[in-house]
Amino acid sequence: MKYFTVDLNGYKADLPILPLPSGVNIAFFNLHGNVEMTEHCGRELAKLVSDCDVLLTAESKGLQLTHVIARELGHKFYAVARKSKKLYMQDGLEVAIKSSITTGAEQKLYISRHDAELLKGKKVGIIDDVVSTGNSLVGLEELVNLAGGIIHKKGFVLAEGKAAERKDICYLGVIPLL
């Protein structure tokens, strides 16, 4: 297997290069189960989004990352956009998003009324592991707007491909589309 080595503000990670059904290869980044890397990335991203009042992430890879950032910033809560509507979300908000580079299918994102209230009138930091096409990010931005929040920062561990050229995001490292 081939790997791509990325530097995440002082933490080196070897990412396996994997093919997508579209024929594009990606340097696959996965925080799940990696405590050391998640803690490092969370601490580093916390420095970049320290002036946000509340954080919003999408399940699932952004969850543990956002938990670390929220802890570092002293936040008691953060908002989570789910990919399926749970029982406690019946009075929440939902948006449809175009497919991401890894899912390949249209999805919906949902937040509970509680999480919508967390965002209302607040400077929101949107957090996720990787930004590539930006389709998932558009959905998260729509949720912030629907909830009456103010999009303040958009922080990612990695910017993939052309996403690294964006001026409206912050990130720790860059990976190519191969």
Side-chain angles (χ1 to χ4, degrees), residues 7-170:
D7 183 339
L8 306 168
N9 281 14
Y11 186 99
K12 300 255 195 272
D14 292 324
L15 309 180
I17 297 173
L18 301 176
L20 295 176
S22 66
V24 172
N25 291 319
I26 61 168
F28 183 69
F29 180 69
N30 184 13
L31 285 173
H32 287 314
N34 191 327
V35 175
E36 183 180 71
M37 185 165 56
T38 301
E39 289 286 333
H40 172 82
C41 292
R43 284 190 305 271
E44 292 300 309
L45 275 175
K47 297 172 188 174
L48 301 178
V49 300
S50 62
D51 57 344
C52 294
D53 299 323
V54 65
L55 306 173
L56 169 66
T57 193
E59 68 176 359
S60 74
K61 291 183 187 173
L63 288 173
Q64 64 268 28
L65 176 67
T66 306
H67 182 92
V68 171
I69 297 168
R71 183 192 67 219
E72 292 293 311
L73 298 179
H75 294 184
K76 291 184 179 183
F77 293 96
Y78 56 92
V80 178
R82 306 286 306 261
K83 294 177 183 170
S84 62
K85 189 181 230 179
K86 306 301 179 190
L87 184 61
Y88 68 92
M89 304 176 112
Q90 300 310 310
D91 60 348
L93 302 173
E94 70 180 70
V95 296
I97 60 171
K98 294 179 184 175
S99 63
S100 72
I101 194 167
T102 52
T103 63
E106 184 176 276
Q107 295 179 304
K108 287 193 174 186
L109 291 176
Y110 306 87
I111 59 172
S112 66
R113 173 61 43 207
H114 172 268
D115 285 1
E117 289 298 322
L118 283 176
L119 304 178
K120 188 176 183 179
K122 300 287 188 352
K123 293 188 297 185
V124 179
I126 296 173
I127 305 296
D128 212 345
D129 61 335
V130 179
V131 61
S132 185
T133 63
N135 290 340
S136 299
L137 176 57
V138 168
L140 292 169
E141 290 172 322
E142 286 181 37
L143 286 172
V144 172
N145 290 329
L146 284 172
I150 303 149
I151 299 166
H152 188 64
K153 295 271 177 76
K154 297 172 243 181
F156 303 88
V157 176
L158 293 168
E160 184 174 54
K162 291 187 183 253
E165 298 170 10
R166 293 178 66 145
K167 303 297 184 210
D168 64 327
I169 63 171
C170 55

